[in-house]
Amino acid sequence: SYVLTQPPSVAVAPGKTARITCGGDNIGSKSVHWYHQKPGQAPVLVIFYDSDRPSGIPERFSGSNSGNTATLTISRVEAGDEADYHCQVWDSSSGHWVFGGGTKLTVL
Amino acid sequence: QVHLVQSGAEVKKPGTSVKLSCKASGYTFSNYALHWVRQAPGQRFEWMGWSNIGDDNTRYSQDFQGRITISRDTSANTAYMELNSLRSEDMAVYYCARGAAGSIQYFDYWGQGTLVAVSS
């Protein structure tokens, strides 16, 4: 089955840029979707189809996807961005929805 | 706005079954798919199965085939997920999530989650 790999944690100072990666075999050929999840809350979609933002998600959130790595970029990081971030793809070969292991973003 | 409200926490013994509910509001229930995803402690999200609410077509992950049943009551705007033969490894938070409009690929809204504890 298809495997997505994320770093367990990323730490960044307020106002700086956070980059969270999601690795997978030729992931650039798939569409990647990102969710954030704060403790005790439901996951929230922040990026879909690699780089599209749902309404209500700040422009500070962007995404890219190429080769074997997809990246979620959060510019001008704020304390409220602290959360777990999960990447997800739909694996057409298995017909399964697959998630990365999640990355905990810490705002220093 | 869209809301998915899930039933409360459950404590179950190994070998028994659990049936969770997910009540939808704020949209036309039959126009969207409804998925079930779980997250065990310290583990990644794991997709379990989905129901195409409009035609009641369901599909399950092979990892749960034979143990899971997803159903829905369109008159109550509610979906259900029943998992049988529970074991300790099934202890997790279970989420329902709506399939995005016009796309099979991702989930645009999630429920708040239901904690299922399995213990003798």
Side-chain angles (χ1 to χ4, degrees):
Chain A
S1 58
Y2 194 75
V3 176
L4 296 175
T5 301
Q6 296 182 240
S9 62
V10 167
V12 64
K16 300 300 186 182
T17 297
R19 293 179 180 84
I20 299 172
T21 59
C22 177
D25 183 31
N26 196 25
I27 195 174
S29 68
K30 301 181 183 297
S31 294
V32 180
H33 318 285
W34 293 90
Y35 307 86
H36 76 202
Q37 184 184 29
K38 299 182 180 181
Q41 297 185 20
V44 173
L45 178 71
V46 295
I47 292 288
F48 62 101
Y49 284 120
D50 298 337
S51 59
D52 290 340
R53 274 177 293 105
S55 61
I57 300 300
E59 292 183 8
R60 301 185 295 105
F61 287 78
S62 62
S64 62
N65 184 18
S66 179
N68 293 319
T69 305
T71 303
L72 172 69
T73 301
I74 309 171
S75 304
R76 302 181 300 282
V77 166
E78 302 173 358
D81 297 331
E82 198 164 87
D84 292 332
Y85 289 82
H86 304 266
C87 60
Q88 175 256 313
V89 302
W90 180 62
D91 180 24
S92 58
S93 61
S94 65
H96 283 199
W97 287 259
V98 177
F99 292 86
T103 298
K104 181 176 180 59
L105 175 66
T106 299
V107 181
L108 300 170
Chain B
Q1 64 268 44
V2 174
H3 286 294
L4 298 173
V5 178
Q6 299 185 230
S7 48
E10 302 265 9
V11 179
K12 294 291 182 180
K13 294 190 182 304
T16 64
S17 300
V18 68
K19 188 172 184 177
L20 310 181
S21 67
C22 172
K23 183 170 176 59
S25 62
Y27 70 98
T28 303
F29 184 56
S30 58
N31 285 357
Y32 292 80
L34 209 295
H35 297 254
W36 290 87
V37 178
R38 77 177 185 180
Q39 186 178 34
Q43 303 298 311
R44 64 187 63 201
F45 287 114
E46 183 179 21
W47 176 78
M48 302 178 69
W50 75 319
S51 170
N52 192 13
I53 300 295
D55 62 11
D56 201 22
N57 186 26
T58 56
R59 188 160 65 81
Y60 306 124
S61 166
Q62 293 164 349
D63 294 340
F64 300 95
Q65 197 79 38
R67 286 208 298 146
I68 187 173
T69 303
I70 294 174
S71 59
R72 92 287 194 252
D73 179 351
T74 53
S75 67
N77 284 359
T78 300
Y80 303 91
M81 190 284 295
E82 183 171 23
L83 190 63
N84 303 319
S85 303
L86 290 170
R87 32 202 189 233
S88 59
E89 310 89 89
D90 293 318
M91 182 148 44
V93 178
Y94 289 74
Y95 296 92
C96 59
R98 193 181 80 164
S103 173
I104 193 175
Q105 294 218 16
Y106 64 99
F107 318 109
D108 57 1
Y109 291 93
W110 295 62
Q112 85 278 16
T114 296
L115 175 64
V116 174
V118 181
S119 173
S120 54

